[in-house]
Amino acid sequence: MSGSDDRNMRSDMGGVDAALRDQFDWYPVAKKEFKDAIRSRGFLVLSVLFTVFFMLPPASVVFGFFDFGPSGQDIGMQFLISSVYLNMVTLLVPVVALFVGYAAITKERTSGSLKLLLSLPFSRRDVLVGKVVGRCVVAGVTLAFALALTALFFVASELTFKGDLFGLFVLYTLAFTVVFVAIVVSISGAFSTSFRSAIASFFVYFYFTFGWNSLANSIGDLLSQYLGVSGTLRWNVVLFVKLINPNQAYKTLTNSMLTEGSNAMRSSRYRMFSQNSTQMQEICTGVLNGNATVQRGLFGNTTVCGDTVRSIPFYFSDPAVFVYMVAWIGVAAALAYYTFNVVDL
């Protein structure tokens, strides 16, 4: 790159920076948050964690610790995503998000610097939005770097690299990460100390990860027992409640991506249930518009949900589930703003 090109690029970047500053009142807060974060030891730890954990599976193949053989090379990347990355992302990323965001606002609140920040021409909304955006960009950039290196290792390995599939995996993983960082930073705006923020964030993480399905099933049971809502309407409600959990949304989107054929979305939603044969047939035909058939196997009969000419309802499709997942950014920020706006600092 010539000196002239470098000057032109700096000029363009300066223009973008000025335009963002003029357009968004929260932008200076987000920019400062990003600059402070990338100079911290926490950012270094986060970068190393993401990079090591994501690069390790394909690096193991490159260096010969795992051999898929000629027959497994074509599906090796899908196997690693479904058997390693899916669980790693849903368990690790929320923990990293907790580490990144739990003290984003409470630390400044307890030190008194938050009052100084609010004495400048920034509203509480600007501070909250700036903190959320800044921390999300930090986590997102770090993860994007780790995923880029992971892609290079996949390309260098014996496995068949499928760019479109890996691109979707990157999109879903980045969105999932940003959602959890936004939730944790928003929680930080609702509590007066970092300890309380950390406890609340851990509770949310634990409930999303391990308790949400019980909530969905309990809602279905209550609808059936006390309101007489049964059949397909009951299972429609249960599936919708399951899908609005970002953790479940990420899993079913990734499973849908990994399944080939026109029945991919239907199969990934159907696997979210484990009911008796009659109820599984109701879910397949009445909720997912599929063709339910009973197949006899070694361990008994299994209800399979096959493809039909009818498509899955749009509100259970992949684009809709993706919207449900990213909508948590706005929901968490709105709830945190309400709390942050009424408390006495």
Side-chain angles (χ1 to χ4, degrees), residues 51 54-55 141-155 161 166 170:
T51 304
F54 278 90
M55 285 174 46
V141 168
T142 310
L143 180 59
F145 175 74
L147 287 169
L149 289 179
T150 302
L152 292 179
F153 271 92
F154 268 119
V155 172
F161 179 73
F166 193 79
V170 170

Side-chain angles (χ1 to χ4, degrees), residues 141-207:
V141 168
T142 310
L143 180 59
F145 175 74
L147 287 169
L149 289 179
T150 302
L152 292 179
F153 271 92
F154 268 119
V155 172
S157 73
E158 63 185 12
L159 305 180
T160 303
F161 179 73
K162 301 174 181 176
D164 54 344
L165 192 148
F166 193 79
L168 274 178
F169 172 65
V170 170
L171 173 66
Y172 295 154
T173 304
L174 281 173
F176 180 70
T177 303
V178 168
V179 165
F180 261 95
V181 172
I183 289 173
V184 174
V185 175
S186 299
I187 289 174
S188 175
F191 286 87
S192 57
T193 68
S194 297
F195 178 74
R196 292 175 182 175
S197 172
I199 295 296
S201 298
F202 181 78
F203 175 79
V204 170
Y205 155 71
F206 188 85
Y207 199 74

